[in-house]
Amino acid sequence: MSTATPAPEAISRVRLARRAAQVPPSATAALDAQAKALIAQGVDVINLTSGEPAFPTVEPAGQAALDAIAADFTRYTPAAGIPELRAAVAEFLNRHGTTYEPGQVVITAGAKQALHYAFTTLVEPGDEILIPAPYWVSYPHLAALAGGTLVPVRPAPGAGLKVTADQLRAAVTDRTRVILLNNPANPSGVVYDRTELAALVQVAIDHDLAIISDEICDHWVFGAAEHVSVAALGPEAAQRTLTIGGVSKTFAMTGWRIGWVAAPAPVAQAITAIQSHTASAPSSISQKAAHGALTADLTSELERRRLELDERRRTTIKALADIPGIEVDGNPEGAFFLLADVSGTYGRTLAGRTITSAADFAELLLTEANVAVVPGADFAAPHHVRISYTVPPDRLTEALGRLAAFVDGLGKRTA
Ligand code: PLP
């Protein structure tokens, strides 16, 4: 360790507010960064941590952005977003049976910012937000920033990583304010069907709770699964639901930072007011790009991508089924992730180390086999690793081969 005195500008005399001090950096981002750093050093790491499909941004988005720059469309836009994009989003959402008007849509800098606004708008200090576990890493921190507490509702063992309405109902307290649903789910890839979803929504109706429904992966459903939008489950659902989405995953536009929230009009207005004093509005150029993506005929291109991803999903599930000690949990029919239970490798050894947790497993897999996956502790899945299967097929096959060889090479159980 260096004993050199840090430069004066490296020393902070600034006291962080508790709300900032309590927020750790995203664990997924940290692992992604670690894998990318190894790649930059020339190590042939295959990165299965990524939260984005490995496809290029759809072509009409880029062209619309270039046109926007050429036309000097580079000023503040209305706080809720440009009208044509709000209308295009409403139409895009309504393909799932909702009846959103453009005035109910607020355009944000990614779905993440939409979630931040949703929590800020709904949650009072001390409020509880129920969430089926496993859940996406950012939710607890987004809830905490608004002064709320995320309360995980855990699935029963062997229940396919899904919670029931009875489990959700049992977790409701006087402080519960919101039920947060994420379907298709990150990190598990499970997809709740219409009946299951309607039962969860009924809990919100019975207890007069709001619903935040994160449907960012609505395009990525496979096999027999279909995407069901919560706000399409009837007027009682629509009147209490904030639908979160964006272009990031469907159109491979994560860096453009365009998302949205669609909500009952007074909620949309409150969110617009908050955005007007914080971001002003998302990037004008990115809004035009999103509009280009949403209004082009991309049906066959998006379907081709969906089928490609489905192929990678099937390849991954099949390969993992043949690896003793690793088990895919639940039925990953959506998004581009799955959770693999690695507790069957606990007690086994490699390079003088014994695997006692999913974090050990992930670290050894990265350092010894150069495959990066995310350990599940921050997703409330401590015995699982999340595998993102979006990488190109040849890299995926290579990664799955390395994974199999890694497990095969583990020393015998020590306990
Ligand atoms: N919600 C979920 C479940 C996600 O996985 C992600 C991104 O990883 C987001 C929201 C954020 O999406 P965006 O990139 O549009 O902010």
Side-chain angles (χ1 to χ4, degrees):
M1 218 168 85
S2 165
T3 52
T5 313
E9 60 273 23
I11 300 171
S12 173
R13 301 200 187 283
V14 180
R15 180 176 56 85
L16 295 182
R18 208 173 325 151
R19 111 170 53 78
Q22 74 190 356
V23 181
S26 154
T28 15
L31 246 134
D32 201 38
Q34 195 184 341
K36 281 179 179 148
L38 281 170
I39 293 165
Q41 289 164 28
V43 181
D44 176 28
V45 171
I46 306 179
N47 190 354
L48 306 184
T49 72
S50 178
E52 56 193 338
F55 295 114
T57 288
V58 293
E59 196 274 336
Q63 190 54 53
L66 291 172
D67 292 348
I69 294 170
D72 198 27
F73 190 75
T74 54
R75 305 288 188 272
Y76 293 128
T77 72
I82 52 176
E84 63 268 36
L85 178 55
R86 297 172 77 193
V89 170
E91 198 179 321
F92 183 69
L93 290 175
N94 292 345
R95 79 201 189 286
H96 290 310
T98 52
T99 54
Y100 285 119
E101 299 283 344
Q104 293 179 268
V105 175
V106 185
I107 310 300
T108 58
K112 217 178 240 185
Q113 193 182 41
L115 285 161
H116 181 49
Y117 290 150
F119 283 110
T120 307
T121 306
L122 302 188
V123 173
E124 300 280 1
D127 283 351
E128 293 176 354
I129 299 110
L130 297 185
I131 174 96
Y135 52 77
W136 182 47
V137 285
S138 290
Y139 292 141
H141 309 298
L142 287 163
L145 276 171
T149 303
L150 200 73
V151 177
V153 179
R154 292 171 203 282
L161 293 181
K162 287 183 179 175
V163 305
T164 64
D166 286 345
Q167 289 174 309
L168 201 59
R169 198 180 297 278
V172 174
T173 72
D174 290 350
R175 306 304 317 244
T176 310
R177 174 92 175 85
V178 177
I179 294 178
L180 173 55
L181 299 173
N182 170 217
N183 197 47
N186 179 0
S188 66
V190 301
V191 180
Y192 285 76
D193 69 22
R194 184 176 296 274
T195 309
E196 293 163 337
L197 216 46
L200 300 182
V201 166
Q202 193 58 45
V203 177
I205 294 170
D206 293 346
H207 294 272
D208 197 21
L209 305 171
I211 300 170
I212 298 176
S213 184
D214 182 347
E215 301 178 14
I216 184 80
C217 285
D218 60 352
H219 176 65
W220 304 109
V221 285
F222 310 110
E226 62 157 344
H227 178 71
V228 176
S229 186
V230 166
L233 291 171
E236 275 277 21
Q239 287 159 15
R240 62 185 67 251
T241 297
L242 281 65
T243 303
I244 307 289
V247 293
S248 295
K249 318 281 177 172
T250 305
F251 300 98
M253 291 178 68
T254 48
W256 297 81
R257 308 310 302 133
I258 293 293
W260 53 73
V261 47
V267 181
Q269 282 153 17
I271 289 176
T272 303
I274 292 173
Q275 173 148 279
S276 74
H277 294 295
T278 51
S280 289
S283 146
S284 58
I285 297 161
S286 290
Q287 288 190 63
K288 284 286 191 184
H291 182 257
L294 285 165
T295 53
D297 183 5
L298 291 169
T299 314
S300 57
E301 172 66 15
L302 293 183
E303 181 59 3
R304 190 184 59 72
R305 292 181 177 197
R306 196 184 67 82
L307 294 176
E308 267 185 40
L309 214 46
D310 189 22
E311 191 61 41
R312 295 176 205 178
R313 178 184 74 99
R314 288 169 195 271
T315 302
T316 309
I317 294 172
K318 195 161 169 290
L320 293 176
D322 289 337
I323 304 180
I326 297 198
E327 223 166 293
V328 174
D329 211 346
N331 187 5
E333 294 180 295
F336 25 82
F337 313 107
L338 55 78
L339 278 179
D341 184 334
V342 296
S343 60
T345 65
Y346 289 179
R348 297 184 63 190
T349 57
L350 192 66
R353 289 195 47 191
T354 303
I355 298 175
T356 61
S357 66
D360 291 342
F361 180 94
E363 198 188 321
L364 272 178
L365 184 66
L366 179 59
T367 54
E368 302 301 317
N370 297 332
V371 175
V373 296
V374 185
D378 290 348
F379 299 111
H383 302 303
H384 296 73
V385 295
R386 188 188 75 176
I387 295 176
S388 168
Y389 50 77
T390 68
V391 293
D394 56 330
R395 297 296 280 166
L396 184 61
T397 304
E398 166 72 18
L400 293 167
R402 287 187 198 177
L403 180 55
F406 168 79
V407 173
D408 193 45
L410 292 174
K412 290 211 169 22
R413 211 166 292 281
T414 53

